[in-house]
Amino acid sequence: MRRLWRSVLDALTPYDAGPPLESLAEELGRPDLVRLSANENPLGPSPRAVAAVAREAARMHLYPDGGSTALREALARRLGVRADQLVVGNGADELIALVAAAAFEPGDEVIVPEPSFEPYALGATLAGARVVPSPLAEYDTDLDDVRRKVTDRTKAVMLCSPHNPATTIIRRGALLAFLEALGANAPLVILDEAYRDFCDASDYPDGVTLLARYPRLIVLRTFSKIAGLAGLRVGYAAASTETIDRLNRVRAPYNVNRLGQVAALAALEDQEHLERTRRLVIEERAFLSAELTKRGYPFPRSHANFLLVAVPDPAALRARLLEAGILVRDGAGIGFPGHLRFSVGLRETNEKLLSLF
Ligand SMILES: Cc1ncc(COP(=O)(O)O)c(C=O)c1O
């Protein structure tokens, strides 16, 4: 028999993102359904990004700039790195896949905190590498455990800060000690900072500023969260020029579409919208946290735009919330049974959510 498909696929199931928001709203007869299950931006996109997309729409018959040059140059200026230290992807999701395609081989080990964002393990598994899980210490990334698991076969370590779904961060001192301990012959360290803009802790490190000292570090960021462009799929990796050169070798020629590129550029220029989003999330997160604490619910302090809260009967509470028009994530599907994960919404939504807790 001719074997058509890679045997590694037998162990995988297609990612289930749930029904589209619009069909779920229709099915429930709730056109006002608010999705708090996907960590999206409660304010929506910047009006300047919307205008940029409208202006660009008539050029959609033309291929985009395959290198996302204007966006990389704007980001480089903003971040204080060279444009050839950046690659833009079809969401940060694509960058995780590009790292796996460029670096991982059968026999490699990839250390992945468990639980964590599912695509890390998926990318490694698909590439034929062995996933070495490092259990969280309750809600925190356990860098001592990760360090102990590094061997000669370790190709990469995946880190996420703020962590999805645990909402916790890796603090500056701990991260630096970890990177130092790995030494010069370190594996790749992928530091996913998708939610960095929502963190206001003073000892939260900026991964990009560490690149000069740690050339094997790869920092991932996205326009999906703070900039509200999740539907357009734009993320980027910042790393050494050598790493970026390798990632570009496995990147599709036109991986980021025209509308995404112009929207991201416009979003980057709309500092006020970025700041408004950040302020809203931080204020509403504090409101939700205080109210949930008053009601006796335990949860780790969140540094992201979502909370992970322990509740006695998550399925029942999720059903009640859905009936009231609020969609949240059951922790059971993301490694935290006994919890609900929900994004920080607008005040009105947050009050409605709290009224059902
Ligand atoms: C930790 C983390 N990294 C990356 C991503 C993917 O971001 P993007 O929408 O840019 O693919 C997400 C999305 O939810 C995430 O939670």
Side-chain angles (χ1 to χ4, degrees):
M1 269 297 270
R2 198 186 299 276
R3 190 176 173 90
L4 293 180
W5 307 110
R6 296 175 58 205
S7 51
V8 70
L9 301 191
D10 295 343
L12 302 177
T13 44
Y15 182 79
D16 181 10
L21 182 61
E22 294 77 4
S23 23
L24 187 62
E26 198 179 325
E27 189 187 306
L28 295 167
R30 286 219 72 120
D32 59 342
L33 181 70
V34 180
R35 177 161 67 189
L36 296 184
S37 58
N39 309 336
E40 291 157 324
N41 187 322
L43 287 179
S46 153
R48 286 165 70 166
V50 175
V53 166
R55 280 195 304 275
E56 191 67 18
R59 279 195 286 275
M60 66 172 75
H61 61 298
L62 301 172
Y63 284 104
D65 169 7
S68 300
T69 315
L71 180 54
R72 277 189 306 111
E73 284 171 354
L75 281 167
R77 282 193 295 279
R78 194 64 57 103
L79 300 173
V81 296
R82 294 161 44 146
D84 58 7
Q85 285 186 268
L86 298 167
V87 58
V88 183
N90 187 40
D93 276 346
E94 187 194 12
L95 299 161
I96 296 166
L98 292 187
V99 171
F104 301 169
E105 294 178 295
D108 287 345
E109 294 176 355
V110 178
I111 305 177
V112 181
E114 188 173 84
S116 65
F117 189 49
E118 301 93 325
Y120 306 152
L122 179 68
T125 303
L126 265 179
R130 189 165 81 82
V131 173
V132 178
S134 172
L136 297 187
E138 197 175 12
Y139 297 106
D140 286 305
T141 304
D142 186 348
L143 286 182
D144 292 334
D145 182 72
V146 173
R147 172 78 193 88
R148 280 194 296 274
K149 286 180 168 148
V150 174
T151 70
D152 289 345
R153 289 181 301 281
T154 307
K155 180 58 71 69
V157 172
M158 311 297 300
L159 298 177
C160 185
S161 175
H163 186 281
N164 180 15
T167 75
T168 54
I169 54 169
I170 299 171
R171 294 180 190 273
R172 184 177 179 79
L175 180 64
L176 290 180
F178 174 76
L179 293 171
E180 279 300 318
L182 291 180
N185 191 29
L188 295 168
V189 176
I190 292 87
L191 179 62
D192 185 342
E193 296 185 336
Y195 299 99
R196 70 162 289 109
D197 307 273
F198 306 112
C199 180
D200 58 351
S202 59
D203 57 351
Y204 176 67
D206 178 337
V208 171
T209 65
L210 301 177
L211 292 174
R213 184 140 157 225
Y214 301 103
R216 297 187 179 182
L217 187 62
I218 303 176
V219 179
L220 303 184
R221 295 187 179 172
T222 178
F223 284 87
S224 293
K225 311 297 176 180
I226 186 74
L229 300 184
L232 286 176
R233 318 299 304 119
V234 189
Y236 60 95
S240 70
T241 52
E242 186 197 337
T243 297
I244 297 303
D245 170 59
R246 295 286 150 175
L247 298 183
N248 273 323
R249 294 176 194 218
V250 292
R251 181 175 65 72
Y254 303 108
N255 63 326
V256 183
N257 72 77
R258 208 166 246 287
L259 305 184
Q261 290 186 39
V262 296
L265 250 180
L268 205 55
E269 281 158 16
D270 192 348
Q271 209 53 44
E272 196 207 319
H273 181 266
L274 298 173
E275 196 42 51
R276 213 150 56 88
T277 300
R278 176 178 158 86
R279 257 200 323 274
L280 174 92
V281 167
I282 289 174
E283 275 172 27
E284 290 303 308
R285 184 176 67 202
F287 169 66
L288 281 166
S289 301
E291 291 298 319
L292 289 164
T293 301
K294 258 193 239 163
R295 290 163 168 78
Y297 290 95
F299 58 95
R301 178 178 168 195
S302 170
H303 296 272
N305 65 341
F306 55 93
L307 285 97
L308 180 72
V309 180
V311 297
D313 188 351
L317 180 50
R318 182 178 177 279
R320 280 208 304 283
L321 287 163
L322 192 57
E323 212 171 294
I326 299 178
L327 177 62
V328 303
R329 191 85 196 254
D330 191 330
I334 47 176
F336 276 101
H339 293 69
L340 287 181
R341 190 195 71 186
F342 49 88
S343 323
V344 174
L346 299 173
R347 175 57 64 100
E348 189 192 345
T349 313
N350 299 336
E351 281 178 338
K352 190 163 157 192
L353 175 134
L354 285 167
S355 74
L356 290 159
F357 260 75

